[in-house]
Amino acid sequence: MSITKVAGPRRGLLARRLIQLYAGLTLYGVSMGLMVRAGLGLEPWSVLNQGISRHTGLSIGTVTIVSGALILLLWIPLRQRPGLGTVSNVVLLGLVMDLTIALMPELHALGARIPLLAFAVLLNGAATGLYISARFGPGPRDGLMTGLHLRTGRPVRLVRTCIEVTVLAVGFLLGGSIGAGTVVYALAIGPLAQLFLRLFAIKGLPEQPSRVVARHVTSPERAILPE
């Protein structure tokens, strides 16, 4: 087989991965902004970022970018390596989140806020499946979780739970929004993300053995999702 014939499919595969990465990250940022506009509670990290935003005067998107960059510094002692998806995650999510909040008017009627929340959570699950399936590296918060797992030997579920409970508690104390949306997100995001991971899986990518050794965890993608 000629080099040209091999290079064509590889370029096509890379193009699809890049499209999925940036489409996923963009939609993820949109979903985060929509959850803010729904006003029924946020996912744990957004609760923290919103709380910090209220005390600093910075937009929640700006805080999301800054906190993501600071979390990346924690990767150094954990010996985690960022990828294109990691860096793109830090920059893009906050920008898109702020833009979505700016363009989306504030809603007051509960009859409009509940469907908006449901759509935002569904969109978040789809976005998760898109960008993780692209395999360009985990987001900064997911890398923190897997890094702590590898360094401490504690199960992934335990590490994730401890991180998110801590983040949620601190965010709540700072004035972040906790509500029905927080609970809905926690219950729905795992099944939704697993569904969309299968739907958006890219055929032709080599299998990657997991660096995460934990019971019932068979891949990095599975490790970062709540079960």
Side-chain angles (χ1 to χ4, degrees), residues 160-209:
R160 182 181 182 117
T161 299
C162 289
I163 290 174
E164 296 202 347
V165 168
T166 301
V167 165
L168 194 63
V170 174
F172 176 72
L173 292 174
L174 291 174
S177 299
I178 294 179
T182 310
V183 177
V184 170
Y185 183 89
L187 294 176
I189 191 59
L192 284 174
Q194 293 288 2
L195 169 65
F196 286 109
L197 276 169
R198 290 193 292 268
L199 183 63
F200 295 125
I202 301 176
K203 294 180 180 180
L205 288 181
E207 291 296 325
Q208 294 180 337

Side-chain angles (χ1 to χ4, degrees), residues 2-190:
S2 68
I3 296 177
T4 303
K5 289 182 179 180
V6 174
R10 287 182 178 176
R11 283 197 296 268
L13 195 62
L14 177 60
R16 178 178 171 180
R17 292 174 64 201
L18 288 170
I19 290 170
Q20 283 201 195
L21 171 66
Y22 288 108
L25 291 177
T26 299
L27 293 177
Y28 201 105
V30 170
S31 72
M32 292 166 67
L34 293 179
M35 285 191 71
V36 172
R37 280 300 185 220
L40 295 171
L42 306 175
E43 50 87 20
W45 284 100
S46 289
V47 172
L48 175 62
N49 292 333
Q50 187 183 58
I52 295 173
S53 172
R54 288 176 173 172
H55 285 271
T56 62
L58 299 173
S59 70
I60 185 171
T62 300
V63 174
T64 299
I65 293 171
V66 173
S67 65
L70 292 176
I71 290 170
L72 277 185
L73 295 178
L74 298 177
W75 282 34
I76 298 173
L78 295 175
R79 298 177 183 176
Q80 295 287 93
R81 294 183 179 179
L84 175 63
T86 310
V87 177
S88 299
N89 182 301
V90 171
V91 176
L92 198 57
L93 291 192
L95 293 176
V96 175
M97 187 179 190
D98 272 350
L99 181 61
T100 301
I101 293 171
L103 295 177
M104 180 74 184
E106 188 173 358
L107 302 177
H108 300 285
L110 195 60
R113 291 160 63 198
I114 291 176
L116 181 62
L117 171 66
F119 175 72
V121 173
L122 178 63
L123 184 63
N124 191 279
T128 300
L130 275 169
Y131 91 81
I132 291 178
S133 294
R135 293 192 192 176
F136 277 111
R141 296 154 189 87
D142 296 324
L144 174 64
M145 179 202 67
T146 53
L148 286 172
H149 159 72
L150 291 169
R151 295 289 284 179
T152 65
R154 301 294 182 182
V156 171
R157 290 185 188 181
L158 176 62
V159 173
R160 182 181 182 117
T161 299
C162 289
I163 290 174
E164 296 202 347
V165 168
T166 301
V167 165
L168 194 63
V170 174
F172 176 72
L173 292 174
L174 291 174
S177 299
I178 294 179
T182 310
V183 177
V184 170
Y185 183 89
L187 294 176
I189 191 59

